[in-house]
Amino acid sequence: MDKKNALRAGALAAGTTLMMLLMSSPALAVTRDDGDDPGSGLSVIETLGLYVVLPIALFAGITALVMVLDKSHKQPKPKQG
């Protein structure tokens, strides 16, 4: 019975994927829409800076702020006696 359910789930997933591919129309992406005004493309350096360097820099900056402003570190206990 388990094999039958797996086969049914696989057929459903394959059918859904096939229908999604058939219903989408990438050929229409070539035609321009009214009011469409694409700008100039990005260079390789600009693309790497925008999608690689900038997110890493933001992550590092936020991490540094959290580490510097962290108040949960333990204070040394004063000696008694």
Side-chain angles (χ1 to χ4, degrees):
M1 194 65 166
D2 204 34
K3 215 177 207 185
K4 197 177 210 180
N5 284 340
L7 185 61
R8 187 177 296 155
L12 181 66
T16 304
T17 304
L18 182 62
M19 288 305 294
M20 293 286 284
L21 287 172
L22 291 175
M23 302 274 297
S24 67
S25 53
L28 292 178
V30 175
T31 60
R32 301 281 299 272
D33 290 332
D34 289 337
D36 194 12
D37 188 21
S40 60
L42 297 175
S43 69
V44 174
I45 300 297
E46 291 171 333
T47 303
L48 288 174
L50 185 62
Y51 294 109
V52 177
V53 175
L54 184 64
I56 291 173
L58 284 171
F59 179 80
I62 292 170
T63 303
L65 281 173
V66 169
M67 290 174 68
V68 167
L69 300 174
D70 183 25
K71 302 286 186 204
S72 66
H73 60 279
K74 298 190 184 261
Q75 300 288 334
K77 294 182 180 178
K79 293 184 180 180
Q80 295 177 355

